[in-house]
Amino acid sequence: MITKKIIVLVVFLISLISFSQEKFTLSGTITDFSNNETLIGVHIYIPALKVGTYTNKYGFYSLTLPTGEHQLRINHFGYQEVEKTILLEENTKDNLSLNESSEELQEVLIKEVRYKTNTKSPEMSVNKLSISAIKKMPVVLGEVDVLKSILLLPGVTNAGEGASGFNVRGGGADQNLILLDEATIFNSSHVFGFFSVFNPDAIKNLKLYKGGIPARYGGRVSSVLDIYQKDGNSKEFHVNGGVGLISSRILAEGPIVKNKGSFLVGGRASYAHLFLKLSEDQKGNAAYFYDLNTKLSYKLSENNSLFLSGYFGRDVFKLNEIFMNTYGNSILNLRWSHLYSDKLFANLSLIYSDYYYGLDLNFVGFKWNSGIKNYTAKYDFENFISDKFKLTYGLNGIYYEFNPGIIKPLSDEFTINPEQLDKKYALAISPYIGSESQLSKRISVYCGLRFSMFYRLGASTINLYENNNAVVFNSDMQIYEKGTPISTEYYKKNKVIESYNNLEPRFSISFQLNDDAALKASYNRMAQYLQLVSNTSSPTPLDVWMPSDNYIKPQIADQVALGYFRNFSDGAYSLETEIYYKKVKNRLDYIDGADLIANDAIEQVVLNGRMRAYGLEIMFKKNEGKFNGWISYTLSKSEQQTPGRTPEETGINNGQWYNSAYDKLHNIAITSAYNLNAKWTFGANFVLQSGQPISYPNSQYEYLGITVPSYGLRNENRLPAYHHLDVSATLIPTNNKNRKWKGEWVFSIYNLYNRQNAASINFRQNADTGYNEAVRTSIFGIVPAVSYNFKF
């Protein structure tokens, strides 16, 4: 009995000592030593306590630790690891800088950093790429391309040769939320998909979420691509850029006030169209783009910083005097970062985004202007409550203005009356909260909840239909047809036409099997209130965005994933495997013969269907040594279905599931880099994908002397398999280190073995035989390129 009392007393005293141990907070910002650029995802770790954290997307970190002396280990891929001893006797700010060089800094020990897979974090279905790795990848036409690089990741495919956009886990390109400095990019491509809108010199970091998406993101059901521009060098003035065969770029950055404020301005343009003017037949033709990146950063005080960033881009496509097409994005973001305390970080952003599309049709005498604008206000908080528990919460509001198009005469000599298609307006409000906690040494959990509210607003005129069906089913002919409005109703400005709200829970968990391996699982629900009306599998500038209303319902996606993650040989190699299942409600499907262009009653040609996608993803990486890279493989299926609304209706495609336009059963990607010596670096990419689903005619008939093809079920055929091999070589002159001007030559060959990948297969009547024949269209053969990059 006495023994039990003694044991209880000892346990009580130990607990009392443990709870009475004073704790303090270590916080700060981590930057690049050479330019004061904040670094995202830096790992700060205390080995003795086995606790750590990562810098957020603004470079801030916070750790609550017991009082006393601690050994810190700070590492980040591409930078030297730093080990540092601190004495924590009060709340302490420690702003740190990491150096890319191998020089030893005073009072710190520098080691080599390996890019390990993070097995401790519950984060999964996420891929990160450094801009330095992207610049080593060989790409088409010699232009470094951010979007093309993510096509080498598991679960990510393209929509065809030279096509714009990308598809994630069987979803459409319109289901991807693309953010540049928090602003929405509605069209991510230049020259109809040959280039992306992202200037690689201006980009700091990119992160692709394919699942397990945090609660702070919403509005799309497939993925989030979050891209941040550099802040600008606040230490020294520098200029860098590149000159290529098709396009060139230049970027300048430097201090406004040294170590406090900086600017960044970069421009890029293509000029291949200038060569067309040398030909008499092509003088009136043009196809080019230009864009501008800007950013101003200023540190008002130790706890306050202001940022103003912008992007402006335009594409111009002109065919003689027949027509001219102009389109592009404009964004502006004013951001205030404030540190309320060493545990509470906040970010307030006011954002403007505009996508414009203009078409001048000279041969008929009118022009068409359309686009979408949004105005966003968002306030985000990160609360580092303890070293094992972090809260994120905030509020996001977006006001949308949709302009389906206004048709105007090109000049007074044309008698066309201006016609404005019905503009549409909407408001989205979304509060969210998320928590990341370490429940034990082995288990870490993320829980999040987003409550999305969407309001379709006036001023608009809404068509009313019998039985509320804008699409009717003709039972005699077994086809869907446009409904006829029985009346209309006008809603005044800002009056609510239709409203939706959805709870969007998010959950992910990591269970560490040991120090090098972990099992992870995730679930997320996403709601998408914007629909892209398109008659192609790849986004085009002509596509029109529509808000959800009383006929077009919001898409709702549920996705689950399970993964195994492991590091080998102390991080020299890593393996990431995942299986996933995703289902989406209210995915738009089009009736046969749907007319989408300049249609003021889109609801008459679309039906709300559903889709599902599931698959296996494997990624094996070699993270160190002269030779490194990764192999990714995806086995997946993506299908769509629009069954009948009543027992009498057959539905689209006879109500059967059919391959979506983004279904790729097999997808293999291999990327590698080899550093031969200080002068030469070599790279290679290989991609192999199953052919894109397509509908071929399965029979033909003759009508009035014309042979007409008859098509079967949707997407039951495929294009030939898609594959190509790209190689590159980078030459860095030996005298670069001894001068301010540093340059490099990049030689690349796209499609080394000249694979003629099919961009499309069309059918036409053969003039000699009278039968229909298939015509294969290929865009690229072998494409050599050379570019020169410089910095001073």
Side-chain angles (χ1 to χ4, degrees):
M1 193 72 177
I2 297 175
T3 305
K4 288 184 178 179
K5 289 183 178 180
I6 294 173
I7 293 173
V8 171
L9 181 61
V10 170
V11 170
F12 174 75
L13 291 174
I14 292 174
S15 301
L16 188 64
I17 294 170
S18 176
F19 282 109
S20 64
Q21 187 176 15
E22 198 169 9
K23 291 188 175 183
F24 294 105
T25 299
L26 174 69
S27 63
T29 301
I30 298 184
T31 59
D32 185 307
F33 178 79
S34 64
N35 54 27
N36 284 336
E37 191 79 40
T38 55
L39 298 177
I40 302 171
V42 178
H43 190 206
I44 304 96
Y45 185 63
I46 295 87
L49 302 177
K50 293 188 176 180
V51 298
T53 189
Y54 290 85
T55 56
N56 66 10
K57 54 187 176 181
Y58 308 111
F60 178 76
Y61 76 95
S62 177
L63 266 174
T64 300
L65 305 169
T67 183
E69 188 175 273
H70 299 285
Q71 188 80 12
L72 267 65
R73 183 178 296 165
I74 304 104
N75 59 61
H76 188 52
F77 182 66
Y79 291 81
Q80 298 296 332
E81 182 179 282
V82 172
E83 289 188 358
K84 181 179 181 181
T85 301
I86 63 161
L87 182 61
L88 195 63
E89 295 180 325
E90 60 181 354
N91 291 337
T92 302
K93 277 190 178 179
D94 192 6
N95 296 326
L96 302 168
S97 294
L98 299 185
N99 202 320
E100 292 183 283
S101 71
S102 59
E103 297 174 1
E104 291 194 3
L105 304 178
Q106 190 175 3
E107 297 179 354
V108 299
L109 178 65
I110 295 179
K111 295 181 179 179
E112 180 185 6
V113 176
R114 296 174 176 176
Y115 185 83
K116 299 180 181 180
T117 293
N118 185 0
T119 59
K120 296 181 180 180
S121 169
E123 183 179 77
M124 66 178 299
S125 305
V126 175
N127 293 112
K128 308 168 190 175
L129 285 177
S130 67
I131 199 64
S132 59
I134 292 172
K135 287 185 175 182
K136 293 178 181 178
M137 296 178 181
V139 291
V140 65
L141 303 177
E143 173 75 22
V144 173
D145 197 306
V146 171
L147 287 190
K148 295 294 189 294
S149 66
I150 67 173
L151 296 175
L152 299 169
L153 300 172
V156 186
T157 62
N158 63 2
E161 185 78 279
S164 62
F166 58 97
N167 307 114
V168 176
R169 289 185 169 176
D174 62 303
Q175 295 176 328
N176 304 318
L177 177 63
I178 303 175
L179 301 173
L180 178 62
D181 273 357
E182 303 179 335
T184 304
I185 297 292
F186 286 97
N187 189 320
S188 59
S189 298
H190 282 309
V191 197
F192 305 101
F194 292 114
F195 300 92
S196 79
V197 300
F198 306 109
N199 183 342
D201 292 334
I203 302 303
K204 172 164 63 174
N205 177 273
L206 70 86
K207 200 171 187 180
L208 177 67
Y209 296 87
K210 300 176 294 185
I213 300 173
R216 66 178 177 270
Y217 298 107
R220 301 292 188 275
V221 296
S222 192
S223 75
V224 177
L225 179 61
D226 201 2
I227 301 178
Y228 279 85
Q229 294 188 122
K230 296 193 297 185
D231 295 333
N233 194 322
S234 65
K235 282 191 171 183
E236 300 175 330
F237 176 77
H238 286 285
V239 175
N240 62 284
V243 179
L245 298 177
I246 304 297
S247 66
S248 292
R249 64 192 191 278
I250 190 167
L251 182 138
E253 56 181 326
I256 300 173
V257 177
K258 192 169 185 179
N259 294 323
K260 289 191 68 175
S262 63
F263 75 90
L264 177 148
V265 57
R268 187 173 56 146
S270 66
Y271 37 74
H273 67 287
L274 297 177
F275 299 109
L276 295 177
K277 296 183 179 181
L278 301 177
S279 170
E280 193 66 32
D281 296 333
Q282 302 293 332
K283 279 189 175 180
N285 298 339
Y288 62 92
F289 72 87
Y290 57 91
D291 52 29
L292 177 70
N293 297 79
T294 60
K295 194 162 188 179
L296 297 174
S297 309
Y298 194 79
K299 192 172 183 178
L300 300 172
S301 65
E302 186 67 24
N303 296 332
N304 293 277
S305 297
L306 274 180
F307 304 87
L308 179 64
S309 59
Y311 168 83
F312 178 84
R314 283 293 181 266
D315 278 74
V316 177
F317 182 69
K318 185 179 180 182
L319 183 59
N320 286 318
E321 299 302 322
I322 300 174
F323 76 90
M324 184 172 73
N325 181 202
T326 306
Y327 62 93
N329 300 275
S330 304
I331 66 170
L332 191 66
N333 181 10
L334 176 62
R335 179 166 65 87
W336 169 48
S337 292
H338 177 61
L339 188 63
Y340 282 98
S341 71
D342 48 21
K343 292 186 177 183
L344 182 58
F345 180 88
N347 191 73
L348 174 65
S349 298
L350 302 175
I351 305 167
Y352 169 78
S353 177
D354 177 21
Y355 174 67
Y356 166 81
Y357 177 84
L359 184 64
D360 292 358
L361 298 174
N362 298 305
F363 64 98
V364 292
F366 72 83
K367 60 181 177 180
W368 178 32
N369 295 327
S370 65
I372 175 174
K373 298 178 182 179
N374 67 40
Y375 307 85
T376 302
K378 58 193 295 285
Y379 207 4
D380 302 307
F381 295 86
E382 288 188 64
N383 198 338
F384 300 83
I385 293 176
S386 73
D387 58 296
K388 296 182 179 179
F389 186 66
K390 181 178 77 170
L391 274 179
T392 56
Y393 47 89
L395 180 66
N396 189 344
I398 308 176
Y399 181 79
Y400 294 97
E401 180 181 323
F402 304 84
N403 179 15
I406 179 172
I407 300 173
K408 296 180 179 180
L410 278 171
S411 65
D412 295 336
E413 62 185 270
F414 296 100
T415 58
I416 300 172
N417 294 322
E419 180 182 351
Q420 170 69 65
L421 299 181
D422 198 31
K423 285 189 175 183
K424 298 171 176 62
Y425 305 89
L427 175 66
I429 301 174
S430 303
Y432 73 88
I433 185 170
S435 68
E436 186 174 335
S437 55
Q438 185 177 340
L439 301 183
S440 68
K441 291 182 179 180
R442 291 181 178 269
I443 301 176
S444 297
V445 174
Y446 173 83
C447 297
L449 184 64
R450 185 182 184 90
F451 182 59
S452 58
M453 297 167 281
F454 186 84
Y455 304 92
R456 169 78 159 84
L457 304 175
S460 288
T461 299
I462 301 299
N463 293 325
L464 303 179
Y465 301 87
E466 186 176 356
N467 299 323
N468 207 35
N469 285 334
V471 178
V472 297
F473 183 72
N474 187 323
S475 57
D476 295 330
M477 301 181 65
Q478 294 290 297
I479 61 172
Y480 285 98
E481 298 176 336
K482 296 180 181 180
T484 302
I486 56 176
S487 65
T488 60
E489 184 175 355
Y490 179 74
Y491 289 81
K492 294 181 180 179
K493 188 173 180 63
N494 294 328
K495 185 177 180 181
V496 176
I497 299 172
E498 188 64 84
S499 65
Y500 295 95
N501 56 75
N502 284 283
L503 280 173
E504 302 177 34
R506 321 285 171 86
F507 175 80
S508 57
I509 184 171
S510 172
F511 178 77
Q512 274 201 282
L513 302 172
N514 52 51
D515 288 343
D516 294 315
L519 288 173
K520 297 186 182 184
S522 69
Y523 163 79
N524 65 251
R525 166 167 283 201
M526 306 283 285
Q528 179 170 335
Y529 299 99
L530 273 61
Q531 303 271 15
L532 184 65
V533 179
S534 173
N535 57 1
T536 66
S537 59
S538 171
T540 69
L542 193 59
D543 297 337
V544 177
W545 287 90
M546 303 284 292
S548 294
D549 56 21
N550 41 342
Y551 301 112
I552 300 176
K553 307 299 182 183
Q555 299 181 65
I556 308 295
D558 292 280
Q559 181 177 208
V560 293
L562 177 67
Y564 174 72
F565 302 80
R566 182 181 177 89
N567 290 308
F568 301 91
S569 303
D570 194 27
Y573 303 90
S574 57
L575 174 69
E576 300 177 8
T577 62
E578 292 189 39
I579 56 173
Y580 67 89
Y581 178 82
K582 175 170 60 177
K583 62 178 182 179
V584 181
K585 295 191 299 184
N586 300 324
R587 180 63 174 163
L588 282 188
D589 211 342
Y590 306 102
I591 67 173
D592 292 330
D595 181 16
L596 305 177
I597 305 303
N599 189 342
D600 215 6
I602 289 292
E603 71 275 5
Q604 296 177 356
V605 296
V606 297
L607 288 172
N608 295 297
R610 58 193 179 204
M611 69 168 290
R612 65 187 181 192
Y614 46 92
L616 164 70
E617 298 174 356
I618 301 173
M619 187 175 189
F620 182 76
K621 296 186 291 186
K622 185 178 186 298
N623 300 316
E624 66 169 29
K626 286 191 171 185
F627 178 77
N628 55 72
W630 68 77
I631 301 173
S632 72
Y633 171 70
T634 306
L635 175 68
S636 62
K637 191 68 182 172
S638 175
E639 298 174 302
Q640 194 161 333
Q641 181 193 41
T642 306
R645 297 167 295 184
T646 65
E648 292 75 26
E649 293 186 12
T650 59
I652 292 179
N653 207 60
N654 295 325
Q656 300 177 28
W657 286 98
Y658 65 91
N659 295 326
S660 75
Y662 331 108
D663 178 58
K664 303 286 181 71
L665 182 62
H666 300 285
N667 178 23
I668 300 173
I670 303 173
T671 183
S672 60
Y674 179 68
N675 298 311
L676 178 63
N677 50 43
K679 289 183 62 176
W680 286 99
T681 300
F682 299 94
N685 298 332
F686 175 74
V687 174
L688 170 63
Q689 297 177 4
S690 297
Q692 186 176 341
I694 192 174
S695 298
Y696 291 158
N698 55 12
S699 63
Q700 60 185 24
Y701 60 91
E702 191 170 306
Y703 179 74
L704 297 178
I706 300 175
T707 302
V708 181
S710 177
Y711 289 83
L713 298 178
R714 293 194 182 189
N715 291 346
E716 64 177 347
N717 307 108
R718 289 185 182 274
L719 294 175
Y722 171 89
H723 55 89
H724 60 85
L725 172 66
D726 317 322
V727 295
S728 69
T730 302
L731 170 63
I732 301 175
T734 53
N735 57 354
N736 260 358
K737 287 186 177 181
N738 303 320
R739 59 179 183 177
K740 291 185 177 181
W741 179 286
K742 300 180 186 297
E744 64 178 23
W745 289 93
V746 180
F747 308 93
S748 64
I749 301 176
Y750 177 86
N751 196 7
L752 181 65
Y753 51 81
N754 199 28
R755 165 70 176 178
Q756 299 295 308
N757 286 302
S760 64
I761 292 182
N762 299 308
F763 293 85
R764 68 186 181 190
Q765 186 175 1
N766 187 290
D768 297 326
T769 65
Y771 290 100
N772 283 297
E773 61 181 3
V775 179
R776 175 173 174 164
T777 301
S778 298
I779 298 177
F780 292 119
I782 184 171
V783 183
V786 59
S787 59
Y788 177 74
N789 299 323
F790 61 87
K791 181 178 181 179
F792 62 87

